[in-house]
Amino acid sequence: MTALLILGAGGQARVLAETAVAQGGFSHIAFLDDHAAQETDQPSVLGWPVLGPLKRFIEPQILQSFNAALVGIGDAKTRLVWLEQLDRVGYECPCLIHPTAWVSPSASLGSGSVVFSQAVVQAQASIGSGVILNT
């Protein structure tokens, strides 16, 4: 099973985590977030730990513990910058597809893209990296 690291711990990151659980295949989930890490001594989001600020993504201990990572930050430009950094240091950036979504077999999804609950991706659609598709 894959350990999933999510950058960010706000609303977007929370929906990513729940979608990852619904999809299955992840042994555990944790977050990195600059703000949540400052709020409490042992922060957590939806019961999963916040391991500290975003800059920790490159630390050897984090790299060894998580083989996959996604960006749970709503701003598209920021999300793409972080996806590039994650890819550069060797994280897998999987696509997440909620089990209630439908993705055509002829469609293609770029790395780090997410198809949320009830969304539909039609025939031969080509979705880029880091795209978030919602209903």
Side-chain angles (χ1 to χ4, degrees):
M1 288 207 135
T2 302
L4 178 63
L5 180 66
I6 298 176
L7 302 190
Q12 187 70 41
R14 293 168 191 192
V15 179
L16 272 178
E18 289 185 338
T19 300
V21 169
Q23 176 180 303
F26 297 98
S27 60
H28 62 283
I29 296 170
F31 301 88
L32 293 177
D33 186 271
D34 292 341
H35 303 293
Q38 298 169 1
E39 293 176 8
T40 64
D41 291 337
Q42 295 181 324
S44 67
V45 172
L46 300 173
W48 295 298
V50 178
L51 303 177
L54 293 169
K55 67 183 178 184
R56 290 199 63 203
F57 84 101
I58 199 164
E59 291 180 8
Q61 178 185 4
I62 300 291
L63 282 162
Q64 291 170 3
S65 298
F66 296 91
N67 47 342
L70 288 170
V71 183
I73 297 172
D75 180 74
K77 288 182 182 180
T78 302
R79 190 169 53 254
L80 290 175
V81 167
W82 278 107
L83 272 174
E84 288 175 11
Q85 291 182 52
L86 292 170
D87 183 57
R88 190 173 18 249
V89 298
Y91 287 100
E92 173 193 354
C93 296
C95 293
L96 292 183
I97 302 171
H98 193 279
T100 64
W102 187 80
V103 177
S104 168
S106 64
S108 64
L109 299 175
S111 67
S113 290
V114 182
V115 184
F116 286 134
S117 176
Q118 303 294 313
V120 174
V121 180
Q122 298 291 359
Q124 294 186 317
S126 180
I127 308 301
S129 294
V131 172
I132 297 169
L133 298 171
N134 213 334
T135 54

